[in-house]
């Protein structure tokens, strides 16, 4: 067997003149991603445009997202089979070839069917000459199974992590960063190099495993029971979460009305942790019990909506800031149901680095969900591994430090700051917190794990002994979210 996947319902035809709808939809997604789109956002739009549902929609989704996840490996196979570097192949033809190789090496599609259908796709979108080229390359690709290709492509490679990079289709620098993060968070389980290697292998495999569709019921607007009644299953991690085992979440009324949403359970837990942190009253006598909350980098609005829902129930106020008008508009759309319900939420546009200086000591709770490489969400955003470069890390970590300084400045004495990223890279997580704490005497780090402890069952309720929380897809079933809790003195 060549791998897990779905069979297409389309019958193969050696002389098909055009690609079948599912494969055409997958190609449309790949081409949009090549032009800068995000696969997880583009996929639903393409399925609707091609009028696909059921098994054909599932096939197109696995074909497109699976191809993007492993395209680095497939490019090596294509280069070997064609004698050309991928950069020398027409982009449309390269995308078609990637789709064909994915079917042959990673899906349960017979080689002859994958080849004939992909050749038809090439003929339709790139002409008969390209179809002949695609046919020749795919026939060579089908001469070996995936394990044999990995062995052949890594023969003579002494670097074990380079072999991992090829086998799991991750850039080599990402493999190194993930190893470093596992080591830094003491997340390998047990002791020694073998344990760390095993943890790294499990994490890389998790990155290539399609995630569950996780839903959030925004408190006061929807309930988990309502989502369960719509076909979901209650989450065993988040008290406001659910998991949709099959079907389109857009068919759920609560999601269409923005009373609920698709949101990773790890993201839910971060927002709930900040909301649950103890914050003393503003004055010794209690004074105005109402709190002011701030989401410093609120776009596209998922965590802001959960924070806003909790704040609304408590009678607190949420302020949302975003750096661009476009992302500010996304936040407004995401929070539409809350705003319609009368929640006191203010949404504005501005540079988050300036806000601490402009509004010092103002907020009781501040969430900084910082811009990052997104290496913790590779299973949901497969194209990120190919778009990011090592040079991005230094630029982003410098921005993260500036934003965290601003978040602390904007927090009043006794208030809390939640620093979060959807990347486990040490330079974006532990190093950012350490740099800020190392030169400021007005803030301390607190143990964040007690705010998460009730969410997990033994033996994974806590990983490592650091005060910051690092969630892992291979351990917790969430994206690799990082969270540090700081308190203003």
């Amino acid at each position: 067997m060549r791998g897990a996947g779905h069979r297409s319902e389309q019958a193969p035809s050696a002389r098909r003149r055009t690609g079948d709808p599912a494969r055409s939809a997958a190609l449309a997604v790949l081409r949009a991603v090549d032009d800068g789109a995000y696969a997880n956002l583009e996929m639903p739009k393409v399925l609707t445009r091609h009028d696909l549902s059921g098994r054909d929609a599932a096939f197109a989704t696995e074909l497109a997202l699976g191809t993007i996840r492993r395209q680095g490996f497939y490019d090596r196979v294509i280069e070997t089979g064609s004698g050309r570097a991928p950069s020398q192949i027409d982009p449309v033809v390269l995308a078609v070839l990637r789709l064909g190789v994915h079917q042959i090496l990673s899906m349960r599609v017979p080689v002859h069917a994958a080849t004939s259908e992909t050749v038809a796709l090439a003929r339709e979108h790139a002409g008969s000459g390209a179809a002949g080229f695609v046919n020749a390359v795919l026939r060579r690709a089908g001469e070996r199974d995936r394990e044999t290709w990995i062995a052949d492509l890594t023969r003579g490679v002494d670097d074990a992590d380079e072999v991992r990079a090829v086998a799991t289709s991750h850039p080599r620098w990402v493999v190194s960063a993930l190893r470093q993060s596992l080591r830094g968070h003491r997340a390998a389980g047990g002791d020694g190099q073998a344990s760390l290697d095993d943890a790294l292998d499990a994490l890389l495999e998790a990155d290539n495993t399609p995630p569950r569709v996780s839903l959030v019921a925004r408190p006061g607007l929807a309930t988990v029971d309502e989502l369960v009644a719509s076909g979901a299953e209650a989450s065993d991690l988040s008290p406001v979460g659910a998991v949709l085992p099959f079907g389109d979440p857009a068919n759920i009324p609560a999601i269409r009305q923005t009373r609920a949403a698709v949101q990773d359970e790890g993201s839910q837990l971060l927002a709930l942790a900040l909301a649950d942190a103890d914050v003393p009253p503003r004055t010794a006598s209690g004074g105005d019990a109402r709190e002011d909350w701030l989401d410093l980098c609120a776009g596209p609005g998922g965590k802001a909506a959960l924070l806003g829902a909790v704040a609304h129930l408590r009678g607190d106020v949420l302020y949302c800031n975003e750096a661009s008008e476009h992302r500010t508009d996304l936040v407004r759309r995401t929070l539409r149901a809350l705003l319609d319900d009368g929640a006191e939420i203010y949404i504005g546009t501005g540079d988050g680095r300036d806000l601490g200086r402009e509004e010092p000591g103002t907020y009781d709770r501040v969430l900084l969900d910082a811009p990052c490489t997104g290496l913790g969400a590779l299973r949901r955003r497969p194209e990120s591994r190919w778009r990011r470069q090592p040079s991005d890390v230094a630029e982003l970590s410098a921005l993260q430090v500036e934003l965290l300084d601003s978040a602390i400045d904007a927090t009043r004495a006794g208030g809390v700051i939640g620093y979060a990223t959807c990347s486990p890279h040490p330079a974006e997580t532990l190093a950012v917190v350490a740099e800020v704490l190392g030169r400021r005497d007005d803030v301390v780090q607190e143990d964040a794990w007690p705010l998460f402890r009730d969410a997990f069952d033994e033996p994974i309720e806590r990983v490592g002994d650091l005060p910051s929380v690092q969630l892992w897809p291979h351990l917790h079933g969430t994206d690799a979210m990082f969270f540090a809790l700081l308190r203003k003195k």
Side-chain angles (χ1 to χ4, degrees):
M1 186 174 73
R2 295 183 180 273
H6 302 275
R7 293 183 185 273
S8 172
E9 293 183 336
Q10 301 295 327
S13 170
R15 298 303 301 166
R16 185 192 290 275
R17 304 302 301 177
T18 61
D20 71 76
R23 289 176 172 85
S24 295
L27 178 60
V29 172
L30 262 63
R31 296 297 297 133
V33 169
D34 285 343
D35 290 337
Y38 294 95
N40 64 323
L41 301 179
E42 192 68 20
M43 195 78 233
K45 294 187 288 188
V46 170
L47 293 177
T48 299
R49 194 161 64 240
H50 285 74
D51 195 25
L52 294 178
S53 60
R55 293 180 61 189
D56 280 343
F59 179 80
T61 299
E62 164 53 25
L63 182 54
L65 301 188
T67 297
I68 295 169
R69 286 187 186 99
R70 295 188 178 273
Q71 75 177 40
F73 170 62
Y74 298 150
D75 282 358
R76 292 172 181 255
V77 173
I78 291 167
E79 183 170 5
T80 301
S82 68
R84 301 185 195 177
S87 60
Q88 297 175 330
I89 300 174
D90 178 82
V92 175
V93 176
L94 179 60
V96 170
L97 280 169
R98 288 168 173 168
L99 291 171
V101 174
H102 181 62
Q103 293 170 71
I104 290 170
L105 298 183
S106 299
M107 298 180 73
R108 292 180 301 191
V109 179
V111 174
H112 68 88
T115 301
S116 63
E117 292 288 357
T118 306
V119 167
L121 198 65
R123 184 179 295 113
E124 178 183 4
H125 292 274
S128 58
F133 173 69
V134 167
N135 182 62
V137 175
L138 293 185
R139 290 188 182 280
R140 294 190 185 101
E143 292 171 355
R144 288 168 264 188
D145 61 20
R146 187 167 73 189
E147 290 70 25
T148 304
W149 270 111
I150 291 171
D152 289 348
L153 292 171
T154 58
R155 185 169 288 112
V157 176
D158 296 328
D159 180 356
D161 278 353
E162 175 63 26
V163 174
R164 286 185 173 89
V166 174
T168 65
S169 201
H170 284 71
R172 175 65 175 79
W173 73 272
V174 173
V175 176
S176 296
L178 294 178
R179 175 184 288 280
Q180 185 182 358
S181 183
L182 287 165
R183 182 187 295 115
H185 287 280
R186 302 168 180 83
D191 299 315
Q193 184 64 37
S195 176
L196 182 58
D197 287 345
D198 288 345
L200 180 59
D201 289 338
L203 175 56
L204 294 171
E205 184 59 33
D207 278 351
N208 287 334
T209 302
R212 307 180 302 174
V213 177
S214 299
L215 310 177
V216 59
R218 290 167 178 162
L221 300 177
T223 65
V224 173
D225 287 344
E226 180 182 359
L227 297 180
V228 170
S230 296
E233 301 169 356
S235 167
D236 57 3
L237 293 181
S238 168
V240 296
V243 177
L244 190 65
F246 57 85
D248 184 353
N251 292 330
I252 298 176
I255 291 181
R256 290 199 304 271
Q257 298 158 7
T258 70
R259 297 183 295 109
V262 175
Q263 185 178 40
D264 180 72
E265 290 155 293
S267 294
Q268 298 172 35
L269 294 175
L270 300 190
L272 295 176
L274 181 66
D276 288 345
D278 180 60
V279 174
R282 289 174 176 266
T283 65
S285 61
D288 183 1
R290 190 181 78 164
E291 292 183 355
D292 291 329
W293 300 10
L294 170 67
D295 189 341
L296 189 62
C297 299
K303 296 183 185 69
L306 182 50
L307 283 175
V310 176
H312 183 37
L313 289 176
R314 296 183 187 176
D316 296 329
V317 183
L318 175 66
Y319 296 82
C320 300
N321 178 77
E322 246 309 322
S324 72
E325 288 289 353
H326 168 67
R327 289 179 66 83
T328 302
D329 287 340
L330 291 178
V331 175
R332 290 193 184 97
R333 288 200 291 269
T334 303
L335 273 62
R336 174 171 53 84
L338 276 168
L339 296 170
D340 290 345
D341 197 51
E344 194 168 355
I345 298 176
Y346 301 92
I347 304 170
T349 304
D351 190 329
R353 293 171 292 184
D354 298 332
L355 199 144
R357 183 184 66 255
E358 296 169 352
E359 301 180 16
T362 300
Y363 298 97
D364 300 270
R365 302 173 194 270
V366 177
L367 174 65
L368 170 54
D369 182 19
C372 67
T373 57
L375 298 183
L378 295 183
R379 58 192 192 140
R380 295 186 191 277
R381 302 169 192 159
E383 69 282 340
S384 293
R385 70 184 77 183
W386 313 120
R387 288 182 178 170
R388 289 298 186 182
Q389 302 296 327
S391 57
D392 295 334
V393 177
E395 180 180 348
L396 283 165
S397 60
L399 173 62
Q400 290 154 359
V401 168
E402 291 183 85
L403 287 168
L404 184 51
D405 273 325
S406 180
I408 295 170
D409 290 340
T411 306
R412 61 111 168 156
V416 291
I417 305 98
Y419 175 71
T421 67
C422 59
S423 169
H425 197 303
E428 301 182 84
T429 55
L430 300 177
V432 169
V433 175
E435 177 176 341
V436 172
L437 291 176
R439 55 177 172 71
R440 295 190 68 137
D441 59 6
D442 60 342
V443 65
V444 294
Q445 184 173 8
E446 297 189 348
D447 188 1
W449 275 103
L451 298 170
F452 289 74
R453 187 167 295 153
D454 292 341
F456 302 110
D457 296 326
E458 293 285 0
I460 61 168
E461 73 167 22
R462 182 170 189 143
V463 177
D465 55 6
L466 298 179
S468 54
V469 171
Q470 179 65 63
L471 303 178
W472 299 101
H474 67 296
L475 295 179
H476 305 113
T478 69
D479 290 345
M481 306 295 298
F482 173 86
F483 182 84
L485 183 69
L486 309 181
R487 187 175 299 276
K488 189 80 168 285
K489 291 183 182 178

